mmCIF file of all heavy atoms in Angstrom:
data_model
loop_
_atom_site.group_PDB
_atom_site.id
_atom_site.type_symbol
_atom_site.label_atom_id
_atom_site.label_comp_id
_atom_site.label_asym_id
_atom_site.label_seq_id
_atom_site.Cartn_x
_atom_site.Cartn_y
_atom_site.Cartn_z
ATOM 1 N N LEU A 211 2.353 17.964 -5.500
ATOM 2 C CA LEU A 211 2.107 16.976 -4.477
ATOM 3 C C LEU A 211 2.436 15.592 -4.939
ATOM 4 O O LEU A 211 1.911 15.146 -6.031
ATOM 5 C CB LEU A 211 0.619 17.010 -3.992
ATOM 6 C CG LEU A 211 0.131 18.274 -3.360
ATOM 7 C CD1 LEU A 211 -1.358 18.238 -3.179
ATOM 8 C CD2 LEU A 211 0.799 18.557 -2.010
ATOM 9 N N GLY A 212 3.256 14.853 -4.283
ATOM 10 C CA GLY A 212 3.492 13.459 -4.647
ATOM 11 C C GLY A 212 3.240 12.458 -3.519
ATOM 12 O O GLY A 212 3.733 11.315 -3.588
ATOM 13 N N GLY A 213 2.527 12.925 -2.505
ATOM 14 C CA GLY A 213 2.305 12.099 -1.348
ATOM 15 C C GLY A 213 3.321 12.330 -0.242
ATOM 16 O O GLY A 213 4.351 12.968 -0.469
ATOM 17 N N GLY A 216 6.585 11.009 -1.164
ATOM 18 C CA GLY A 216 7.140 11.624 -2.397
ATOM 19 C C GLY A 216 6.929 10.729 -3.620
ATOM 20 O O GLY A 216 6.583 9.565 -3.481
ATOM 21 N N ALA A 217 7.127 11.343 -4.745
ATOM 22 C CA ALA A 217 6.997 10.605 -6.032
ATOM 23 C C ALA A 217 8.196 10.913 -6.875
ATOM 24 O O ALA A 217 8.367 12.054 -7.356
ATOM 25 C CB ALA A 217 5.689 11.056 -6.769
ATOM 26 N N ARG A 218 9.040 9.902 -7.088
ATOM 27 C CA ARG A 218 10.352 10.171 -7.758
ATOM 28 C C ARG A 218 10.150 10.771 -9.129
ATOM 29 O O ARG A 218 10.871 11.744 -9.432
ATOM 30 C CB ARG A 218 11.061 8.783 -7.904
ATOM 31 C CG ARG A 218 12.424 8.925 -8.582
ATOM 32 C CD ARG A 218 13.039 7.519 -8.839
ATOM 33 N NE ARG A 218 12.195 6.635 -9.596
ATOM 34 C CZ ARG A 218 12.085 6.686 -10.975
ATOM 35 N NH1 ARG A 218 12.824 7.614 -11.632
ATOM 36 N NH2 ARG A 218 11.359 5.819 -11.596
ATOM 37 N N ARG A 219 9.198 10.266 -9.860
ATOM 38 C CA ARG A 219 9.087 10.758 -11.317
ATOM 39 C C ARG A 219 8.550 12.220 -11.316
ATOM 40 O O ARG A 219 8.986 12.999 -12.178
ATOM 41 C CB ARG A 219 8.179 9.794 -12.049
ATOM 42 C CG ARG A 219 8.122 10.131 -13.545
ATOM 43 C CD ARG A 219 9.425 9.867 -14.252
ATOM 44 N NE ARG A 219 9.536 10.354 -15.586
ATOM 45 C CZ ARG A 219 9.863 11.580 -15.907
ATOM 46 N NH1 ARG A 219 10.173 12.466 -14.967
ATOM 47 N NH2 ARG A 219 9.917 11.975 -17.205
ATOM 48 N N ILE A 220 7.708 12.575 -10.439
ATOM 49 C CA ILE A 220 7.221 13.935 -10.406
ATOM 50 C C ILE A 220 8.323 14.842 -9.926
ATOM 51 O O ILE A 220 8.521 15.964 -10.455
ATOM 52 C CB ILE A 220 6.008 14.080 -9.430
ATOM 53 C CG1 ILE A 220 4.704 13.387 -10.067
ATOM 54 C CG2 ILE A 220 5.662 15.529 -9.155
ATOM 55 C CD1 ILE A 220 3.525 13.402 -9.240
ATOM 56 N N VAL A 279 -0.287 20.134 -9.416
ATOM 57 C CA VAL A 279 0.189 18.920 -10.043
ATOM 58 C C VAL A 279 0.204 17.822 -8.923
ATOM 59 O O VAL A 279 0.827 18.050 -7.853
ATOM 60 C CB VAL A 279 1.605 19.048 -10.636
ATOM 61 C CG1 VAL A 279 2.191 17.695 -11.058
ATOM 62 C CG2 VAL A 279 1.592 20.028 -11.865
ATOM 63 N N SER A 280 -0.450 16.752 -9.186
ATOM 64 C CA SER A 280 -0.686 15.766 -8.143
ATOM 65 C C SER A 280 -0.771 14.326 -8.646
ATOM 66 O O SER A 280 -1.106 14.079 -9.749
ATOM 67 C CB SER A 280 -1.909 16.063 -7.334
ATOM 68 O OG SER A 280 -2.230 15.161 -6.347
ATOM 69 N N ARG A 281 -0.359 13.364 -7.757
ATOM 70 C CA ARG A 281 -0.794 12.012 -7.934
ATOM 71 C C ARG A 281 -2.326 11.883 -7.839
ATOM 72 O O ARG A 281 -2.998 12.881 -7.528
ATOM 73 C CB ARG A 281 -0.154 11.048 -6.864
ATOM 74 C CG ARG A 281 1.335 10.836 -7.039
ATOM 75 C CD ARG A 281 1.656 10.157 -8.328
ATOM 76 N NE ARG A 281 2.991 9.498 -8.278
ATOM 77 C CZ ARG A 281 3.641 9.142 -9.357
ATOM 78 N NH1 ARG A 281 3.178 9.434 -10.607
ATOM 79 N NH2 ARG A 281 4.786 8.498 -9.315
ATOM 80 N N SER A 282 -2.879 10.740 -8.154
ATOM 81 C CA SER A 282 -4.330 10.592 -8.191
ATOM 82 C C SER A 282 -4.835 9.468 -7.290
ATOM 83 O O SER A 282 -5.686 8.665 -7.731
ATOM 84 C CB SER A 282 -4.814 10.417 -9.609
ATOM 85 O OG SER A 282 -4.125 9.435 -10.278
ATOM 86 N N GLY A 283 -4.244 9.297 -6.138
ATOM 87 C CA GLY A 283 -4.821 8.402 -5.126
ATOM 88 C C GLY A 283 -6.195 8.852 -4.737
ATOM 89 O O GLY A 283 -6.588 10.046 -4.890
ATOM 90 N N SER A 286 -6.408 11.919 -2.344
ATOM 91 C CA SER A 286 -6.001 13.123 -3.044
ATOM 92 C C SER A 286 -7.074 13.576 -3.957
ATOM 93 O O SER A 286 -7.351 14.834 -3.970
ATOM 94 C CB SER A 286 -4.695 12.857 -3.852
ATOM 95 O OG SER A 286 -3.641 12.473 -3.018
ATOM 96 N N ILE A 287 -7.672 12.694 -4.721
ATOM 97 C CA ILE A 287 -8.734 13.102 -5.633
ATOM 98 C C ILE A 287 -9.937 13.744 -4.876
ATOM 99 O O ILE A 287 -10.411 14.776 -5.284
ATOM 100 C CB ILE A 287 -9.300 11.886 -6.398
ATOM 101 C CG1 ILE A 287 -8.208 11.394 -7.374
ATOM 102 C CG2 ILE A 287 -10.603 12.229 -7.143
ATOM 103 C CD1 ILE A 287 -8.075 12.163 -8.673
ATOM 104 N N LEU A 290 -8.909 17.218 -3.856
ATOM 105 C CA LEU A 290 -8.818 18.119 -4.988
ATOM 106 C C LEU A 290 -10.191 18.543 -5.465
ATOM 107 O O LEU A 290 -10.384 19.701 -5.905
ATOM 108 C CB LEU A 290 -8.043 17.359 -6.141
ATOM 109 C CG LEU A 290 -6.578 17.181 -5.852
ATOM 110 C CD1 LEU A 290 -6.002 16.229 -6.895
ATOM 111 C CD2 LEU A 290 -5.810 18.502 -5.817
ATOM 112 N N THR A 297 -6.125 21.325 -12.157
ATOM 113 C CA THR A 297 -5.252 20.242 -11.683
ATOM 114 C C THR A 297 -4.750 19.419 -12.878
ATOM 115 O O THR A 297 -5.483 19.028 -13.746
ATOM 116 C CB THR A 297 -5.938 19.335 -10.711
ATOM 117 O OG1 THR A 297 -6.314 20.120 -9.519
ATOM 118 C CG2 THR A 297 -5.034 18.222 -10.236
ATOM 119 N N ILE A 298 -3.415 19.128 -12.820
ATOM 120 C CA ILE A 298 -2.850 18.114 -13.771
ATOM 121 C C ILE A 298 -2.529 16.885 -12.910
ATOM 122 O O ILE A 298 -1.814 16.986 -11.895
ATOM 123 C CB ILE A 298 -1.520 18.614 -14.381
ATOM 124 C CG1 ILE A 298 -1.851 19.870 -15.311
ATOM 125 C CG2 ILE A 298 -0.826 17.508 -15.191
ATOM 126 C CD1 ILE A 298 -0.601 20.521 -15.840
ATOM 127 N N LEU A 299 -3.129 15.766 -13.236
ATOM 128 C CA LEU A 299 -2.974 14.487 -12.514
ATOM 129 C C LEU A 299 -1.910 13.628 -13.197
ATOM 130 O O LEU A 299 -1.951 13.478 -14.432
ATOM 131 C CB LEU A 299 -4.269 13.765 -12.470
ATOM 132 C CG LEU A 299 -5.414 14.492 -11.678
ATOM 133 C CD1 LEU A 299 -6.694 13.688 -11.834
ATOM 134 C CD2 LEU A 299 -5.027 14.572 -10.184
ATOM 135 N N ILE A 300 -0.968 13.125 -12.442
ATOM 136 C CA ILE A 300 0.073 12.249 -12.931
ATOM 137 C C ILE A 300 -0.014 10.979 -12.067
ATOM 138 O O ILE A 300 0.624 10.875 -11.029
ATOM 139 C CB ILE A 300 1.489 12.854 -12.854
ATOM 140 C CG1 ILE A 300 1.531 14.211 -13.588
ATOM 141 C CG2 ILE A 300 2.514 11.937 -13.385
ATOM 142 C CD1 ILE A 300 2.827 14.993 -13.391
ATOM 143 N N PRO A 301 -0.757 9.951 -12.584
ATOM 144 C CA PRO A 301 -1.002 8.807 -11.773
ATOM 145 C C PRO A 301 0.305 7.926 -11.611
ATOM 146 O O PRO A 301 1.160 7.964 -12.490
ATOM 147 C CB PRO A 301 -2.026 7.988 -12.587
ATOM 148 C CG PRO A 301 -2.533 8.907 -13.594
ATOM 149 C CD PRO A 301 -1.458 9.920 -13.828
ATOM 150 N N SER A 302 0.386 7.335 -10.414
ATOM 151 C CA SER A 302 1.494 6.288 -10.265
ATOM 152 C C SER A 302 1.081 5.065 -11.027
ATOM 153 O O SER A 302 0.006 4.540 -10.800
ATOM 154 C CB SER A 302 1.634 6.014 -8.775
ATOM 155 O OG SER A 302 2.489 4.910 -8.626
ATOM 156 N N PRO A 303 1.989 4.547 -11.822
ATOM 157 C CA PRO A 303 1.724 3.317 -12.539
ATOM 158 C C PRO A 303 2.037 2.079 -11.706
ATOM 159 O O PRO A 303 1.880 0.915 -12.203
ATOM 160 C CB PRO A 303 2.593 3.391 -13.797
ATOM 161 C CG PRO A 303 3.793 4.171 -13.315
ATOM 162 C CD PRO A 303 3.282 5.159 -12.272
ATOM 163 N N ASN A 304 2.524 2.279 -10.500
ATOM 164 C CA ASN A 304 3.069 1.201 -9.673
ATOM 165 C C ASN A 304 2.084 0.796 -8.544
ATOM 166 O O ASN A 304 2.585 0.349 -7.466
ATOM 167 C CB ASN A 304 4.422 1.597 -9.069
ATOM 168 C CG ASN A 304 5.370 2.044 -10.145
ATOM 169 O OD1 ASN A 304 5.525 1.405 -11.203
ATOM 170 N ND2 ASN A 304 6.027 3.187 -9.934
ATOM 171 N N GLN A 310 -4.835 4.368 -9.766
ATOM 172 C CA GLN A 310 -4.681 5.818 -9.858
ATOM 173 C C GLN A 310 -5.038 6.324 -11.247
ATOM 174 O O GLN A 310 -5.636 7.397 -11.368
ATOM 175 C CB GLN A 310 -3.302 6.197 -9.462
ATOM 176 C CG GLN A 310 -3.025 6.156 -7.978
ATOM 177 C CD GLN A 310 -1.897 7.084 -7.543
ATOM 178 O OE1 GLN A 310 -1.409 7.966 -8.307
ATOM 179 N NE2 GLN A 310 -1.528 6.935 -6.263
ATOM 180 N N LEU A 326 -1.887 13.319 -17.354
ATOM 181 C CA LEU A 326 -0.646 13.035 -18.086
ATOM 182 C C LEU A 326 -0.011 11.801 -17.492
ATOM 183 O O LEU A 326 0.228 11.746 -16.261
ATOM 184 C CB LEU A 326 0.363 14.205 -17.903
ATOM 185 C CG LEU A 326 0.052 15.533 -18.667
ATOM 186 C CD1 LEU A 326 1.170 16.539 -18.402
ATOM 187 C CD2 LEU A 326 -0.029 15.303 -20.208
ATOM 188 N N GLU A 328 3.003 9.093 -16.817
ATOM 189 C CA GLU A 328 4.417 9.228 -16.655
ATOM 190 C C GLU A 328 5.168 9.144 -17.973
ATOM 191 O O GLU A 328 6.187 9.861 -18.219
ATOM 192 C CB GLU A 328 4.978 8.215 -15.631
ATOM 193 C CG GLU A 328 4.655 8.612 -14.173
ATOM 194 C CD GLU A 328 5.461 7.840 -13.207
ATOM 195 O OE1 GLU A 328 6.144 6.911 -13.641
ATOM 196 O OE2 GLU A 328 5.349 8.062 -11.993
ATOM 197 N N LEU A 331 5.337 12.538 -19.977
ATOM 198 C CA LEU A 331 5.808 13.771 -19.359
ATOM 199 C C LEU A 331 6.882 14.543 -20.181
ATOM 200 O O LEU A 331 6.790 15.745 -20.309
ATOM 201 C CB LEU A 331 6.324 13.489 -17.995
ATOM 202 C CG LEU A 331 5.290 13.018 -16.920
ATOM 203 C CD1 LEU A 331 5.950 12.702 -15.555
ATOM 204 C CD2 LEU A 331 4.180 14.024 -16.766
#
Side-chain angles (χ1 to χ4, degrees):
L211 299 171
R218 179 184 59 82
R219 188 65 190 88
I220 290 179
V279 169
S280 175
R281 285 299 199 201
S282 50
S286 297
I287 291 280
L290 293 167
T297 300
I298 296 174
L299 297 171
I300 303 173
S302 169
N304 306 312
Q310 285 206 9
L326 289 179
E328 284 193 355
L331 294 178

